[in-house]
Amino acid sequence: MTANRKELAVERAAKKEAVEQLNLAFKATSVAVVAQYSGLTVAQMQKLRTQMKQAGASVKVSKNRLAKIALEGTDVVAIGPMLKGPTVIATSNDPVAAPKVAVEFAKANEKFVIIGGSMGTTVLSVDGVKALASLPSLDELRAKIVGLLVAPATKLAQLANAPAGKLARVIQAHASKGEAA
Protein backbone atom coordinates (compact mmCIF):
# COMPACT_ATOMS: atom_id res chain seq x y z
CA MET A 1 0.00 0.00 0.00
CA THR A 2 2.90 2.42 0.64
CA ALA A 3 4.25 1.85 -2.87
CA ASN A 4 0.86 2.89 -4.25
CA ARG A 5 0.93 6.10 -2.17
CA LYS A 6 4.40 6.94 -3.48
CA GLU A 7 3.19 6.51 -7.06
CA LEU A 8 0.24 8.80 -6.38
CA ALA A 9 2.54 11.40 -4.84
CA VAL A 10 4.83 11.29 -7.88
CA GLU A 11 1.83 11.51 -10.21
CA ARG A 12 0.46 14.53 -8.30
CA ALA A 13 3.84 16.25 -8.45
CA ALA A 14 4.05 15.63 -12.20
CA LYS A 15 0.54 17.04 -12.69
CA LYS A 16 1.37 20.08 -10.58
CA GLU A 17 4.51 20.67 -12.65
CA ALA A 18 2.52 20.31 -15.89
CA VAL A 19 -0.07 22.84 -14.68
CA GLU A 20 2.66 25.31 -13.70
CA GLN A 21 4.36 24.96 -17.10
CA LEU A 22 1.06 25.45 -18.93
CA ASN A 23 0.21 28.46 -16.76
CA LEU A 24 3.54 30.10 -17.60
CA ALA A 25 2.96 29.45 -21.31
CA PHE A 26 -0.56 30.90 -21.17
CA LYS A 27 0.65 33.99 -19.30
CA ALA A 28 3.34 34.63 -21.91
CA THR A 29 1.07 34.31 -24.94
CA SER A 30 -0.98 36.94 -26.72
CA VAL A 31 -3.15 34.54 -28.72
CA ALA A 32 -4.40 30.98 -28.26
CA VAL A 33 -6.18 28.80 -30.81
CA VAL A 34 -8.16 25.73 -29.75
CA ALA A 35 -8.70 22.87 -32.19
CA GLN A 36 -9.77 19.25 -32.12
CA TYR A 37 -7.27 16.79 -33.54
CA SER A 38 -9.09 13.46 -33.28
CA GLY A 39 -7.97 11.11 -36.03
CA LEU A 40 -4.66 12.78 -36.88
CA THR A 41 -1.64 10.54 -37.19
CA VAL A 42 1.54 11.06 -35.21
CA ALA A 43 3.28 12.21 -38.39
CA GLN A 44 0.59 14.82 -39.02
CA MET A 45 0.86 16.09 -35.43
CA GLN A 46 4.64 16.26 -35.80
CA LYS A 47 4.20 18.26 -39.01
CA LEU A 48 1.87 20.66 -37.17
CA ARG A 49 4.40 21.09 -34.36
CA THR A 50 7.18 21.77 -36.88
CA GLN A 51 5.12 24.34 -38.78
CA MET A 52 4.14 26.09 -35.55
CA LYS A 53 7.75 26.16 -34.34
CA GLN A 54 8.93 27.65 -37.65
CA ALA A 55 6.28 30.39 -37.32
CA GLY A 56 7.31 31.18 -33.74
CA ALA A 57 4.31 29.46 -32.16
CA SER A 58 3.88 26.35 -30.05
CA VAL A 59 1.39 23.51 -29.67
CA LYS A 60 0.22 22.16 -26.33
CA VAL A 61 -1.68 18.91 -25.81
CA SER A 62 -2.71 18.18 -22.25
CA LYS A 63 -5.62 16.89 -20.26
CA ASN A 64 -8.47 19.38 -20.46
CA ARG A 65 -8.93 19.38 -16.69
CA LEU A 66 -5.28 20.33 -16.15
CA ALA A 67 -5.39 22.94 -18.92
CA LYS A 68 -8.47 24.57 -17.34
CA ILE A 69 -6.64 24.81 -14.02
CA ALA A 70 -3.62 26.30 -15.78
CA LEU A 71 -5.78 28.90 -17.54
CA GLU A 72 -6.83 30.50 -14.25
CA GLY A 73 -5.25 33.90 -13.77
CA THR A 74 -4.27 34.35 -17.43
CA ASP A 75 -5.65 36.59 -20.19
CA VAL A 76 -6.70 33.59 -22.30
CA VAL A 77 -8.91 32.10 -19.56
CA ALA A 78 -11.90 32.51 -21.93
CA ILE A 79 -10.91 29.39 -23.92
CA GLY A 80 -11.75 27.14 -20.94
CA PRO A 81 -15.26 26.20 -22.14
CA MET A 82 -13.82 25.20 -25.55
CA LEU A 83 -11.73 22.44 -23.98
CA LYS A 84 -13.92 19.40 -24.60
CA GLY A 85 -12.73 16.17 -26.14
CA PRO A 86 -9.28 15.73 -27.67
CA THR A 87 -8.10 19.32 -28.02
CA VAL A 88 -4.85 20.99 -28.91
CA ILE A 89 -3.95 24.56 -27.96
CA ALA A 90 -1.69 26.59 -30.25
CA THR A 91 -0.14 29.70 -28.70
CA SER A 92 2.10 32.51 -29.93
CA ASN A 93 3.26 35.98 -28.99
CA ASP A 94 2.65 37.18 -32.55
CA PRO A 95 -1.15 37.55 -32.80
CA VAL A 96 -1.09 36.19 -36.35
CA ALA A 97 1.40 33.30 -36.25
CA ALA A 98 -0.62 30.58 -34.48
CA PRO A 99 -3.94 31.35 -36.25
CA LYS A 100 -2.23 31.45 -39.65
CA VAL A 101 -0.54 28.07 -39.24
CA ALA A 102 -3.67 26.51 -37.68
CA VAL A 103 -5.93 27.67 -40.53
CA GLU A 104 -3.47 26.49 -43.20
CA PHE A 105 -3.09 23.13 -41.45
CA ALA A 106 -6.89 22.78 -41.16
CA LYS A 107 -7.22 23.33 -44.92
CA ALA A 108 -4.80 20.48 -45.60
CA ASN A 109 -6.14 18.14 -42.87
CA GLU A 110 -9.89 17.81 -42.53
CA LYS A 111 -9.56 15.98 -39.18
CA PHE A 112 -8.01 19.11 -37.64
CA VAL A 113 -11.01 21.27 -36.72
CA ILE A 114 -10.59 24.75 -35.27
CA ILE A 115 -13.05 25.43 -32.45
CA GLY A 116 -12.11 29.01 -31.56
CA GLY A 117 -9.56 30.92 -29.61
CA SER A 118 -8.65 33.97 -27.61
CA MET A 119 -6.62 37.08 -28.29
CA GLY A 120 -5.88 38.53 -24.91
CA THR A 121 -9.20 38.68 -23.08
CA THR A 122 -11.19 38.69 -26.34
CA VAL A 123 -12.87 35.39 -27.23
CA LEU A 124 -12.54 34.45 -30.90
CA SER A 125 -14.97 32.34 -32.89
CA VAL A 126 -13.80 30.20 -35.80
CA ASP A 127 -14.38 33.18 -38.11
CA GLY A 128 -12.35 35.40 -35.76
CA VAL A 129 -9.43 32.99 -35.92
CA LYS A 130 -9.68 32.90 -39.73
CA ALA A 131 -9.80 36.72 -39.83
CA LEU A 132 -6.63 36.90 -37.73
CA ALA A 133 -4.98 34.36 -40.03
CA SER A 134 -5.68 36.54 -43.06
CA LEU A 135 -3.81 39.52 -41.57
CA PRO A 136 -0.14 40.08 -42.40
CA SER A 137 2.34 38.95 -39.74
CA LEU A 138 4.36 41.37 -37.61
CA ASP A 139 7.43 40.86 -39.81
CA GLU A 140 5.41 41.60 -42.96
CA LEU A 141 3.98 44.76 -41.38
CA ARG A 142 7.46 45.89 -40.31
CA ALA A 143 8.75 45.35 -43.85
CA LYS A 144 5.89 47.43 -45.28
CA ILE A 145 6.53 50.25 -42.82
CA VAL A 146 10.25 50.28 -43.61
CA GLY A 147 9.37 50.31 -47.31
CA LEU A 148 7.07 53.28 -46.80
CA LEU A 149 9.72 55.13 -44.81
CA VAL A 150 12.48 54.45 -47.35
CA ALA A 151 10.38 55.32 -50.43
CA PRO A 152 10.20 59.11 -49.79
CA ALA A 153 13.96 59.26 -49.19
CA THR A 154 14.56 57.45 -52.48
CA LYS A 155 12.25 59.84 -54.33
CA LEU A 156 13.96 62.85 -52.74
CA ALA A 157 17.33 61.56 -53.86
CA GLN A 158 16.02 61.06 -57.39
CA LEU A 159 14.56 64.59 -57.45
CA ALA A 160 17.78 66.08 -56.12
CA ASN A 161 19.82 64.32 -58.80
CA ALA A 162 17.36 65.02 -61.65
CA PRO A 163 18.07 68.80 -62.08
CA ALA A 164 21.82 68.20 -62.16
CA GLY A 165 21.31 65.50 -64.78
CA LYS A 166 19.10 67.78 -66.88
CA LEU A 167 21.62 70.62 -66.61
CA ALA A 168 24.42 68.30 -67.71
CA ARG A 169 22.38 67.19 -70.74
CA VAL A 170 21.65 70.83 -71.74
CA ILE A 171 25.36 71.74 -71.49
CA GLN A 172 26.24 68.64 -73.51
CA ALA A 173 23.69 69.62 -76.17
CA HIS A 174 25.14 73.17 -76.40
CA ALA A 175 28.66 71.78 -76.59
CA SER A 176 27.61 69.39 -79.36
CA LYS A 177 25.93 72.27 -81.22
CA GLY A 178 29.05 74.39 -80.91
CA GLU A 179 31.22 71.59 -82.34
CA ALA A 180 28.84 71.07 -85.24
CA ALA A 181 28.95 74.79 -86.23
Side-chain angles (χ1 to χ4, degrees), residues 68-119:
K68 286 178 184 178
I69 294 169
L71 284 170
E72 292 175 17
T74 66
D75 287 344
V76 293
V77 71
I79 65 171
M82 297 177 197
L83 300 176
K84 293 180 180 151
T87 54
V88 63
I89 303 170
T91 59
S92 67
N93 289 332
D94 180 352
V96 179
K100 191 171 280 210
V101 173
V103 168
E104 290 299 317
F105 191 78
K107 286 179 185 176
N109 299 285
E110 61 190 39
K111 293 180 181 178
F112 186 79
V113 180
I114 297 172
I115 299 170
S118 176
M119 187 169 103

Short mmCIF file of all heavy atoms in Angstrom, two decimals, residues 68-119:
data_model
loop_
_atom_site.label_atom_id
_atom_site.label_comp_id
_atom_site.label_asym_id
_atom_site.label_seq_id
_atom_site.Cartn_x
_atom_site.Cartn_y
_atom_site.Cartn_z
N LYS A 68 -7.53 23.62 -17.93
CA LYS A 68 -8.47 24.57 -17.34
C LYS A 68 -7.92 25.15 -16.04
O LYS A 68 -8.07 26.33 -15.77
CB LYS A 68 -9.83 23.91 -17.11
CG LYS A 68 -10.61 23.68 -18.38
CD LYS A 68 -11.93 22.99 -18.11
CE LYS A 68 -12.66 22.66 -19.40
NZ LYS A 68 -13.91 21.95 -19.18
N ILE A 69 -7.27 24.33 -15.25
CA ILE A 69 -6.64 24.81 -14.02
C ILE A 69 -5.52 25.79 -14.36
O ILE A 69 -5.37 26.84 -13.73
CB ILE A 69 -6.11 23.64 -13.17
CG1 ILE A 69 -7.28 22.78 -12.67
CG2 ILE A 69 -5.28 24.14 -12.00
CD1 ILE A 69 -6.86 21.45 -12.06
N ALA A 70 -4.74 25.45 -15.38
CA ALA A 70 -3.62 26.30 -15.78
C ALA A 70 -4.07 27.63 -16.37
O ALA A 70 -3.35 28.63 -16.31
CB ALA A 70 -2.75 25.56 -16.79
N LEU A 71 -5.26 27.68 -16.93
CA LEU A 71 -5.78 28.90 -17.54
C LEU A 71 -6.13 29.97 -16.50
O LEU A 71 -6.15 31.16 -16.81
CB LEU A 71 -7.02 28.60 -18.38
CG LEU A 71 -6.79 27.95 -19.73
CD1 LEU A 71 -8.09 27.48 -20.33
CD2 LEU A 71 -6.09 28.91 -20.67
N GLU A 72 -6.42 29.55 -15.29
CA GLU A 72 -6.83 30.50 -14.25
C GLU A 72 -5.75 31.55 -14.01
O GLU A 72 -4.58 31.24 -13.88
CB GLU A 72 -7.16 29.76 -12.95
CG GLU A 72 -8.40 28.89 -13.06
CD GLU A 72 -8.65 28.06 -11.82
OE1 GLU A 72 -8.07 28.36 -10.76
OE2 GLU A 72 -9.43 27.10 -11.92
N GLY A 73 -6.18 32.81 -14.00
CA GLY A 73 -5.25 33.90 -13.77
C GLY A 73 -4.51 34.37 -15.00
O GLY A 73 -3.58 35.16 -14.90
N THR A 74 -4.91 33.91 -16.19
CA THR A 74 -4.27 34.35 -17.43
C THR A 74 -5.27 35.13 -18.28
O THR A 74 -6.48 35.10 -18.03
CB THR A 74 -3.76 33.15 -18.26
OG1 THR A 74 -4.87 32.38 -18.70
CG2 THR A 74 -2.83 32.28 -17.43
N ASP A 75 -4.77 35.83 -19.29
CA ASP A 75 -5.65 36.59 -20.19
C ASP A 75 -6.50 35.68 -21.07
O ASP A 75 -7.59 36.04 -21.48
CB ASP A 75 -4.83 37.52 -21.08
CG ASP A 75 -4.28 38.71 -20.32
OD1 ASP A 75 -4.76 38.98 -19.21
OD2 ASP A 75 -3.36 39.37 -20.85
N VAL A 76 -6.00 34.49 -21.38
CA VAL A 76 -6.70 33.59 -22.30
C VAL A 76 -7.63 32.62 -21.58
O VAL A 76 -7.99 31.59 -22.13
CB VAL A 76 -5.70 32.84 -23.21
CG1 VAL A 76 -5.01 33.79 -24.16
CG2 VAL A 76 -4.69 32.06 -22.40
N VAL A 77 -8.04 32.97 -20.37
CA VAL A 77 -8.91 32.10 -19.56
C VAL A 77 -10.23 31.81 -20.28
O VAL A 77 -10.88 30.79 -20.02
CB VAL A 77 -9.14 32.70 -18.16
CG1 VAL A 77 -10.03 33.94 -18.23
CG2 VAL A 77 -9.72 31.68 -17.21
N ALA A 78 -10.62 32.65 -21.23
CA ALA A 78 -11.90 32.51 -21.93
C ALA A 78 -11.98 31.24 -22.79
O ALA A 78 -13.08 30.84 -23.18
CB ALA A 78 -12.16 33.73 -22.80
N ILE A 79 -10.85 30.60 -23.08
CA ILE A 79 -10.91 29.39 -23.92
C ILE A 79 -11.29 28.16 -23.12
O ILE A 79 -11.48 27.10 -23.68
CB ILE A 79 -9.58 29.15 -24.68
CG1 ILE A 79 -8.44 28.84 -23.71
CG2 ILE A 79 -9.27 30.30 -25.61
CD1 ILE A 79 -7.16 28.39 -24.38
N GLY A 80 -11.41 28.28 -21.81
CA GLY A 80 -11.75 27.14 -20.94
C GLY A 80 -12.95 26.33 -21.40
O GLY A 80 -12.87 25.10 -21.50
N PRO A 81 -14.09 26.97 -21.70
CA PRO A 81 -15.26 26.20 -22.14
C PRO A 81 -15.07 25.47 -23.48
O PRO A 81 -15.82 24.56 -23.80
CB PRO A 81 -16.36 27.27 -22.28
CG PRO A 81 -15.91 28.40 -21.41
CD PRO A 81 -14.43 28.37 -21.45
N MET A 82 -14.07 25.86 -24.25
CA MET A 82 -13.82 25.20 -25.55
C MET A 82 -13.08 23.88 -25.38
O MET A 82 -12.99 23.10 -26.33
CB MET A 82 -13.00 26.12 -26.45
CG MET A 82 -13.67 27.40 -26.83
SD MET A 82 -12.55 28.40 -27.82
CE MET A 82 -13.33 29.99 -27.71
N LEU A 83 -12.54 23.64 -24.21
CA LEU A 83 -11.73 22.44 -23.98
C LEU A 83 -12.62 21.25 -23.67
O LEU A 83 -12.87 20.90 -22.51
CB LEU A 83 -10.74 22.69 -22.84
CG LEU A 83 -9.75 23.82 -23.06
CD1 LEU A 83 -8.89 24.04 -21.83
CD2 LEU A 83 -8.88 23.56 -24.28
N LYS A 84 -13.09 20.60 -24.72
CA LYS A 84 -13.92 19.40 -24.60
C LYS A 84 -13.43 18.41 -25.64
O LYS A 84 -13.27 18.75 -26.81
CB LYS A 84 -15.39 19.73 -24.84
CG LYS A 84 -15.98 20.59 -23.75
CD LYS A 84 -17.43 20.90 -24.00
CE LYS A 84 -17.96 21.76 -22.87
NZ LYS A 84 -19.01 22.64 -23.26
N GLY A 85 -13.22 17.20 -25.22
CA GLY A 85 -12.73 16.17 -26.14
C GLY A 85 -11.24 16.33 -26.38
O GLY A 85 -10.56 17.07 -25.67
N PRO A 86 -10.71 15.64 -27.39
CA PRO A 86 -9.28 15.73 -27.67
C PRO A 86 -8.94 17.07 -28.31
O PRO A 86 -9.22 17.29 -29.49
CB PRO A 86 -9.02 14.57 -28.63
CG PRO A 86 -10.35 14.29 -29.25
CD PRO A 86 -11.40 14.69 -28.25
N THR A 87 -8.39 17.98 -27.52
CA THR A 87 -8.10 19.32 -28.02
C THR A 87 -6.61 19.61 -27.98
O THR A 87 -5.87 19.06 -27.18
CB THR A 87 -8.83 20.41 -27.20
OG1 THR A 87 -8.52 20.24 -25.83
CG2 THR A 87 -10.33 20.34 -27.41
N VAL A 88 -6.22 20.50 -28.84
CA VAL A 88 -4.85 20.99 -28.91
C VAL A 88 -4.94 22.51 -28.82
O VAL A 88 -5.87 23.12 -29.33
CB VAL A 88 -4.17 20.53 -30.22
CG1 VAL A 88 -4.83 21.08 -31.44
CG2 VAL A 88 -2.71 20.89 -30.22
N ILE A 89 -3.97 23.11 -28.12
CA ILE A 89 -3.95 24.56 -27.96
C ILE A 89 -2.67 25.09 -28.60
O ILE A 89 -1.57 24.70 -28.21
CB ILE A 89 -4.00 24.97 -26.48
CG1 ILE A 89 -5.24 24.38 -25.81
CG2 ILE A 89 -4.00 26.49 -26.34
CD1 ILE A 89 -5.25 24.52 -24.31
N ALA A 90 -2.83 25.96 -29.59
CA ALA A 90 -1.69 26.59 -30.25
C ALA A 90 -1.56 28.01 -29.70
O ALA A 90 -2.55 28.74 -29.63
CB ALA A 90 -1.90 26.63 -31.75
N THR A 91 -0.37 28.38 -29.28
CA THR A 91 -0.14 29.70 -28.70
C THR A 91 1.03 30.39 -29.40
O THR A 91 1.91 29.73 -29.92
CB THR A 91 0.18 29.61 -27.19
OG1 THR A 91 1.33 28.80 -27.02
CG2 THR A 91 -0.98 29.02 -26.42
N SER A 92 0.98 31.73 -29.40
CA SER A 92 2.10 32.51 -29.93
C SER A 92 2.06 33.92 -29.39
O SER A 92 1.00 34.41 -28.98
CB SER A 92 2.07 32.53 -31.46
OG SER A 92 0.98 33.26 -31.94
N ASN A 93 3.20 34.57 -29.39
CA ASN A 93 3.26 35.98 -28.99
C ASN A 93 2.81 36.87 -30.14
O ASN A 93 2.23 37.92 -29.92
CB ASN A 93 4.68 36.35 -28.55
CG ASN A 93 5.03 35.70 -27.23
OD1 ASN A 93 4.16 35.44 -26.41
ND2 ASN A 93 6.30 35.44 -27.04
N ASP A 94 3.12 36.48 -31.36
CA ASP A 94 2.65 37.18 -32.55
C ASP A 94 1.17 36.84 -32.72
O ASP A 94 0.81 35.68 -32.84
CB ASP A 94 3.45 36.71 -33.77
CG ASP A 94 3.04 37.38 -35.07
OD1 ASP A 94 2.04 38.12 -35.08
OD2 ASP A 94 3.73 37.17 -36.08
N PRO A 95 0.29 37.84 -32.73
CA PRO A 95 -1.15 37.55 -32.80
C PRO A 95 -1.59 36.85 -34.08
O PRO A 95 -2.71 36.38 -34.17
CB PRO A 95 -1.81 38.92 -32.69
CG PRO A 95 -0.75 39.91 -32.48
CD PRO A 95 0.57 39.25 -32.59
N VAL A 96 -0.71 36.77 -35.07
CA VAL A 96 -1.09 36.19 -36.35
C VAL A 96 -0.47 34.81 -36.58
O VAL A 96 -1.04 33.99 -37.30
CB VAL A 96 -0.70 37.16 -37.50
CG1 VAL A 96 -1.04 36.60 -38.84
CG2 VAL A 96 -1.37 38.51 -37.31
N ALA A 97 0.65 34.52 -35.95
CA ALA A 97 1.40 33.30 -36.25
C ALA A 97 0.60 32.02 -36.00
O ALA A 97 0.44 31.20 -36.91
CB ALA A 97 2.70 33.27 -35.44
N ALA A 98 0.12 31.82 -34.80
CA ALA A 98 -0.62 30.58 -34.48
C ALA A 98 -1.90 30.44 -35.30
O ALA A 98 -2.16 29.37 -35.86
CB ALA A 98 -0.92 30.50 -32.98
N PRO A 99 -2.73 31.50 -35.42
CA PRO A 99 -3.94 31.35 -36.25
C PRO A 99 -3.63 31.03 -37.71
O PRO A 99 -4.30 30.21 -38.33
CB PRO A 99 -4.64 32.71 -36.13
CG PRO A 99 -4.17 33.27 -34.85
CD PRO A 99 -2.76 32.77 -34.70
N LYS A 100 -2.58 31.67 -38.25
CA LYS A 100 -2.23 31.45 -39.65
C LYS A 100 -1.85 30.00 -39.91
O LYS A 100 -2.34 29.36 -40.84
CB LYS A 100 -1.11 32.41 -40.07
CG LYS A 100 -0.85 32.44 -41.56
CD LYS A 100 0.11 33.54 -41.93
CE LYS A 100 -0.65 34.82 -41.96
NZ LYS A 100 -0.17 35.82 -42.87
N VAL A 101 -0.97 29.45 -39.07
CA VAL A 101 -0.54 28.07 -39.24
C VAL A 101 -1.71 27.11 -39.01
O VAL A 101 -1.89 26.14 -39.75
CB VAL A 101 0.64 27.74 -38.29
CG1 VAL A 101 0.98 26.26 -38.34
CG2 VAL A 101 1.85 28.57 -38.66
N ALA A 102 -2.53 27.39 -37.99
CA ALA A 102 -3.67 26.51 -37.68
C ALA A 102 -4.67 26.47 -38.84
O ALA A 102 -5.15 25.40 -39.22
CB ALA A 102 -4.37 26.97 -36.41
N VAL A 103 -4.97 27.62 -39.42
CA VAL A 103 -5.93 27.67 -40.53
C VAL A 103 -5.37 26.95 -41.75
O VAL A 103 -6.08 26.18 -42.42
CB VAL A 103 -6.32 29.13 -40.86
CG1 VAL A 103 -7.06 29.23 -42.17
CG2 VAL A 103 -7.16 29.71 -39.73
N GLU A 104 -4.09 27.18 -42.06
CA GLU A 104 -3.47 26.49 -43.20
C GLU A 104 -3.44 24.98 -42.98
O GLU A 104 -3.70 24.20 -43.90
CB GLU A 104 -2.05 27.02 -43.44
CG GLU A 104 -2.01 28.43 -43.98
CD GLU A 104 -2.69 28.59 -45.32
OE1 GLU A 104 -2.51 27.71 -46.21
OE2 GLU A 104 -3.43 29.57 -45.49
N PHE A 105 -3.13 24.56 -41.75
CA PHE A 105 -3.09 23.13 -41.45
C PHE A 105 -4.48 22.52 -41.53
O PHE A 105 -4.65 21.41 -42.00
CB PHE A 105 -2.49 22.91 -40.05
CG PHE A 105 -2.15 21.48 -39.76
CD1 PHE A 105 -1.00 20.90 -40.28
CD2 PHE A 105 -2.99 20.69 -38.99
CE1 PHE A 105 -0.68 19.57 -40.02
CE2 PHE A 105 -2.69 19.36 -38.73
CZ PHE A 105 -1.53 18.80 -39.25
N ALA A 106 -5.50 23.27 -41.10
CA ALA A 106 -6.89 22.78 -41.16
C ALA A 106 -7.35 22.60 -42.61
O ALA A 106 -8.13 21.70 -42.91
CB ALA A 106 -7.82 23.72 -40.42
N LYS A 107 -6.87 23.47 -43.50
CA LYS A 107 -7.22 23.33 -44.92
C LYS A 107 -6.66 22.04 -45.50
O LYS A 107 -7.31 21.39 -46.31
CB LYS A 107 -6.68 24.53 -45.72
CG LYS A 107 -7.44 25.80 -45.50
CD LYS A 107 -6.81 26.93 -46.30
CE LYS A 107 -7.47 28.26 -46.00
NZ LYS A 107 -6.81 29.37 -46.70
N ALA A 108 -5.46 21.67 -45.07
CA ALA A 108 -4.80 20.48 -45.60
C ALA A 108 -5.24 19.20 -44.89
O ALA A 108 -5.12 18.12 -45.44
CB ALA A 108 -3.28 20.64 -45.49
N ASN A 109 -5.75 19.31 -43.66
CA ASN A 109 -6.14 18.14 -42.87
C ASN A 109 -7.55 18.33 -42.33
O ASN A 109 -7.76 19.09 -41.39
CB ASN A 109 -5.17 17.95 -41.68
CG ASN A 109 -3.75 17.73 -42.15
OD1 ASN A 109 -3.42 16.67 -42.63
ND2 ASN A 109 -2.92 18.75 -42.03
N GLU A 110 -8.50 17.62 -42.91
CA GLU A 110 -9.89 17.81 -42.53
C GLU A 110 -10.19 17.31 -41.11
O GLU A 110 -11.19 17.71 -40.52
CB GLU A 110 -10.82 17.12 -43.53
CG GLU A 110 -10.59 15.62 -43.63
CD GLU A 110 -11.32 14.98 -44.79
OE1 GLU A 110 -11.39 15.59 -45.86
OE2 GLU A 110 -11.84 13.87 -44.59
N LYS A 111 -9.34 16.48 -40.54
CA LYS A 111 -9.56 15.98 -39.18
C LYS A 111 -9.11 16.99 -38.12
O LYS A 111 -9.37 16.80 -36.94
CB LYS A 111 -8.85 14.64 -38.97
CG LYS A 111 -9.47 13.53 -39.81
CD LYS A 111 -8.77 12.23 -39.60
CE LYS A 111 -9.44 11.16 -40.48
NZ LYS A 111 -8.77 9.88 -40.35
N PHE A 112 -8.44 18.03 -38.53
CA PHE A 112 -8.01 19.11 -37.64
C PHE A 112 -9.06 20.21 -37.73
O PHE A 112 -9.17 20.90 -38.73
CB PHE A 112 -6.63 19.63 -38.06
CG PHE A 112 -6.05 20.64 -37.13
CD1 PHE A 112 -5.44 20.25 -35.95
CD2 PHE A 112 -6.08 22.00 -37.43
CE1 PHE A 112 -4.88 21.18 -35.09
CE2 PHE A 112 -5.53 22.92 -36.58
CZ PHE A 112 -4.93 22.52 -35.41
N VAL A 113 -9.87 20.35 -36.69
CA VAL A 113 -11.01 21.27 -36.72
C VAL A 113 -10.80 22.38 -35.69
O VAL A 113 -10.69 22.12 -34.49
CB VAL A 113 -12.33 20.52 -36.40
CG1 VAL A 113 -13.50 21.46 -36.43
CG2 VAL A 113 -12.53 19.37 -37.37
N ILE A 114 -10.76 23.61 -36.17
CA ILE A 114 -10.59 24.75 -35.27
C ILE A 114 -11.91 25.03 -34.57
O ILE A 114 -12.96 25.12 -35.21
CB ILE A 114 -10.11 25.99 -36.06
CG1 ILE A 114 -8.75 25.71 -36.66
CG2 ILE A 114 -10.07 27.22 -35.16
CD1 ILE A 114 -8.24 26.77 -37.61
N ILE A 115 -11.85 25.17 -33.25
CA ILE A 115 -13.05 25.43 -32.45
C ILE A 115 -13.19 26.93 -32.17
O ILE A 115 -14.28 27.49 -32.19
CB ILE A 115 -12.98 24.66 -31.11
CG1 ILE A 115 -12.91 23.17 -31.38
CG2 ILE A 115 -14.18 24.98 -30.24
CD1 ILE A 115 -12.60 22.35 -30.15
N GLY A 116 -12.10 27.58 -31.90
CA GLY A 116 -12.11 29.01 -31.56
C GLY A 116 -10.78 29.40 -30.98
O GLY A 116 -9.78 28.72 -31.16
N GLY A 117 -10.80 30.48 -30.22
CA GLY A 117 -9.56 30.92 -29.61
C GLY A 117 -9.75 32.16 -28.77
O GLY A 117 -10.88 32.56 -28.46
N SER A 118 -8.64 32.77 -28.44
CA SER A 118 -8.65 33.97 -27.61
C SER A 118 -7.46 34.83 -27.97
O SER A 118 -6.35 34.32 -28.13
CB SER A 118 -8.61 33.58 -26.13
OG SER A 118 -8.52 34.71 -25.32
N MET A 119 -7.70 36.12 -28.09
CA MET A 119 -6.62 37.08 -28.29
C MET A 119 -6.67 38.02 -27.11
O MET A 119 -7.55 38.88 -27.04
CB MET A 119 -6.76 37.84 -29.60
CG MET A 119 -5.56 38.70 -29.89
SD MET A 119 -5.58 39.34 -31.56
CE MET A 119 -6.10 41.00 -31.24
#
